[in-house]
Amino acid sequence: MNRIPLILDGDPGHDDAIAWVLAAADPVFDIRAITTVAGNQTLDKVTLNARKIASLLNLDVPIARGREVPLLSELIIAPGYHGMSGLDGPSLPEPKREEEEMNAVSLMANVLEESEEKVTIVATGPQTNVASLLLSHPELKEKISLISTMGGGLRNGNWTSAAEFNILVDPEAAYIEYHSGVPLQMCGLDVTEKAMIYPEEWEKIREIDNPVAKTVAAWLDFFFIHLKQLGWQGATLHDPCSILSLSHPEIFAIQDCYVDVELKGEYCRGMTYVDGHHVLGKKNNCKAVMDVDREKFVELLIEARESFGGNHE
Ligand code: BDR
Ligand code: CA
């Protein structure tokens, strides 16, 4: 099997955590490092969450924290969705592994330098660490096979009417990434709001007799509280799309396009806009994931939990 070397960069976060469960469950992925970025909660909180998730998943890989704040903007956090810890809900095992002394960018750079193969970066929070890496180590761009991001949307936003949360938190970072020339795959709201799991479906996950499955079901219970108040019928699994679109591209609709990031504007800062009719005459810079076979997506989520052992009760 040709394994895909991965760096997981995120701000866990319930859906980041579920994305990491999916990555750990699938032997096609070879997770080399975890790096954290301020976003859903402060850097201290998401870094502690990342270390606890690694313990839950028995993932013994280096973990390093990134920047405390976005490149230029003030930090925005999302306690309404993810709670005061950034990952409220079930209690998690204590961290087993200490954080690295080096920061996230140095850890990413080391992994890239030491790897014989190109490495994929899965970035499910603000793109602050990834942009810092691209700026400080341009010579390592050629070692990045793909940046698979959750962020943006080609039709609308979720934090403002134009901007999605991850891009709005650090638009300059996203801009640097979209202008870097590194292969980019974007899971924006176009697909992630379709990647929905309904309560009766995650009951099937809860029935699987292993601690990872029980924890995922409890994460979904918490994540759904706020979404339900907003009128959603299920939980929108944004970040897991950035993993499953790598391992199972056949269940997604993916299109090549040119996407840019708006940095100014009274209403549109942080908007990702697509040059759908190629009027700008720019080369395509990303693969935008636009749609998913929702039922197959949910089947894959359930199967992934089974890979951590146990039977259906
Ligand atoms: C994104 O924002 C965060 O709250 C989620 O973890 C996801 O990465 C969705 O807009
Ligand atoms: Ca996230």
Side-chain angles (χ1 to χ4, degrees):
M1 179 198 298
N2 275 343
R3 300 186 77 202
I4 306 175
L6 284 191
I7 296 172
L8 299 174
D9 179 71
D11 56 343
H14 296 76
D15 53 336
D16 301 78
I18 296 172
W20 294 2
V21 171
L22 290 169
D26 191 334
V28 81
F29 295 118
D30 171 13
I31 301 170
R32 303 270 175 95
I34 291 176
T35 52
T36 59
V37 60
N40 285 325
Q41 259 297 353
T42 59
L43 189 63
D44 279 344
K45 290 183 180 180
V46 299
T47 305
L48 180 61
N49 295 342
R51 293 172 62 218
K52 289 182 175 176
I53 298 164
S55 290
L56 174 73
L57 300 176
N58 276 323
L59 207 51
D60 191 18
V61 299
I63 302 176
R65 60 173 62 209
R67 280 176 59 96
E68 205 100 29
V69 287
L71 297 183
L72 296 180
S73 290
E74 299 240 330
L75 179 63
I76 306 168
I77 56 173
Y81 287 87
H82 300 280
M84 288 314 292
S85 71
L87 192 53
D88 278 12
S91 60
L92 296 174
E94 284 309 306
K96 289 190 200 131
R97 183 164 173 149
E98 289 303 321
E99 272 176 69
E100 299 300 300
E101 281 181 12
M102 70 183 106
N103 66 26
V105 172
S106 303
L107 177 58
M108 286 172 155
N110 282 1
V111 169
L112 294 172
E113 273 159 10
E114 285 166 13
S115 178
E116 281 172 17
E117 317 103 293
K118 291 189 179 195
V119 176
T120 296
I121 300 176
V122 177
T124 54
Q127 306 300 300
T128 318
N129 293 336
V130 177
S132 305
L133 172 77
L134 296 170
L135 288 179
S136 59
H137 293 279
E139 77 288 358
L140 291 176
K141 284 184 186 174
E142 61 185 30
K143 298 293 292 284
I144 303 173
S145 144
L146 180 72
I147 302 170
S148 177
T149 69
M150 189 282 134
L154 303 187
R155 298 211 179 86
N156 50 15
N158 61 0
W159 213 259
T160 67
S161 49
E164 180 279 332
F165 178 76
N166 287 340
I167 307 291
L168 184 70
V169 174
D170 199 339
E172 281 74 19
Y175 183 93
I176 290 164
E177 181 180 75
Y178 278 83
H179 287 260
S180 68
V182 173
L184 191 60
Q185 182 153 295
M186 164 194 181
C187 290
L189 298 172
D190 316 283
V191 62
T192 69
E193 289 186 340
K194 293 176 193 147
M196 167 100 69
I197 183 166
Y198 296 115
E200 60 276 17
E201 292 171 329
W202 75 77
E203 283 314 312
K204 291 190 195 139
I205 295 178
R206 203 188 315 274
E207 283 166 13
I208 303 168
D209 189 17
N210 71 56
V212 176
K214 304 277 181 217
T215 304
V216 168
W219 279 334
L220 287 166
D221 291 339
F222 185 88
F223 197 39
F224 187 48
I225 296 172
H226 188 61
L227 288 168
K228 194 175 178 185
Q229 286 165 356
L230 296 175
W232 293 93
Q233 303 297 307
T236 41
L237 289 175
H238 304 285
D239 296 338
C241 291
S242 60
I243 292 290
L244 289 183
S245 60
L246 296 176
S247 54
H248 294 85
E250 69 284 357
I251 71 161
F252 292 88
I254 304 178
Q255 75 184 42
D256 284 300
C257 50
Y258 177 77
V259 172
D260 211 331
V261 182
E262 178 61 88
L263 298 179
K264 299 187 282 274
E266 194 176 343
Y267 300 110
C268 296
R269 180 166 157 81
M271 175 183 178
T272 43
Y273 63 89
V274 61
D275 182 21
H277 292 290
H278 301 283
V279 291
L280 298 176
K282 308 246 188 177
K283 259 176 64 187
N284 292 336
N285 62 350
C286 101
K287 290 187 181 295
V289 184
M290 298 301 291
D291 203 354
V292 62
D293 180 333
R294 195 201 71 82
E295 283 175 9
K296 294 227 171 76
F297 182 88
V298 170
E299 270 169 35
L300 291 170
L301 283 170
I302 296 172
E303 268 172 43
R305 306 312 174 255
E306 287 170 348
S307 75
F308 291 94
N311 297 313
H312 280 275
E313 283 170 348

